[in-house]
Amino acid sequence: MTDTGAGHYDSGGGSASAQSSLQVDGEEIPLSSSPADTITEVTVPDQAGTYKLTLDNSRDPGLSSVSTRVRAEWTFRSAETPEDEPAALPVSVIRYSPELSLDSTAKAGERFEVPFTIEGAAAGQQPAKLAFEVSYDEGATWQSAEAVDGTHLSLEHPAEPGSVSLRAELTDDSGNTLVQTIERAYLTTK
């Protein structure tokens, strides 16, 4: 059984779900989309405001052992644009590109580098804030993760095999924010 109400999506069989929400100045804006949609169009007030967009995607760990939940929350300022000129939202994401085995694993008990890049509005900028956290217990507890030279995380995997979850917090030079969490981003093995 799944919740497929407005802003929720089930790809079938209960294997995946997606929830989304959008607020402007604290007021919820209705969203409508379907599995076939690649673009969600939203009518928002034609005045300046502070927006909060949240996307939360989950997959059944029995069907996919990694990236079982990916959640991103953005806040940004936006204002009216000319009707015939769509404007890109001032949002960013963090992309990780660790060198993993084909089954999305890395060695337990070893230092491991996780390269990352910033994409979107903050690409090519020195962010006002960029912080990372790692969890080795599927998000129950988090600890600071060391970012080296603004290019990669340097992690020390626990000796016991398990999962690695990653969280990033970014504020760009215009004050737009991102909190991005990937639960079970990859696994560790002996």
Side-chain angles (χ1 to χ4, degrees), residues 76-131:
F76 55 93
R77 297 272 312 155
S78 189
E80 182 177 12
T81 60
E83 193 170 312
D84 58 346
E85 295 179 30
L89 295 178
V91 297
S92 302
V93 295
I94 305 292
R95 298 284 183 213
Y96 300 102
S97 54
E99 290 188 27
L100 301 171
S101 67
L102 292 176
D103 60 353
S104 299
T105 62
K107 291 289 184 189
E110 295 184 5
R111 182 155 293 281
F112 188 69
E113 293 186 358
V114 178
F116 66 84
T117 56
I118 300 170
E119 297 180 357
Q125 298 179 15
Q126 179 62 40
K129 175 185 178 181
L130 182 59

Side-chain angles (χ1 to χ4, degrees), residues 22-29 49-52:
L22 178 66
Q23 296 178 358
V24 60
D25 296 327
E27 190 172 316
E28 191 82 18
I29 303 292
T50 299
Y51 290 78
K52 181 169 124 178

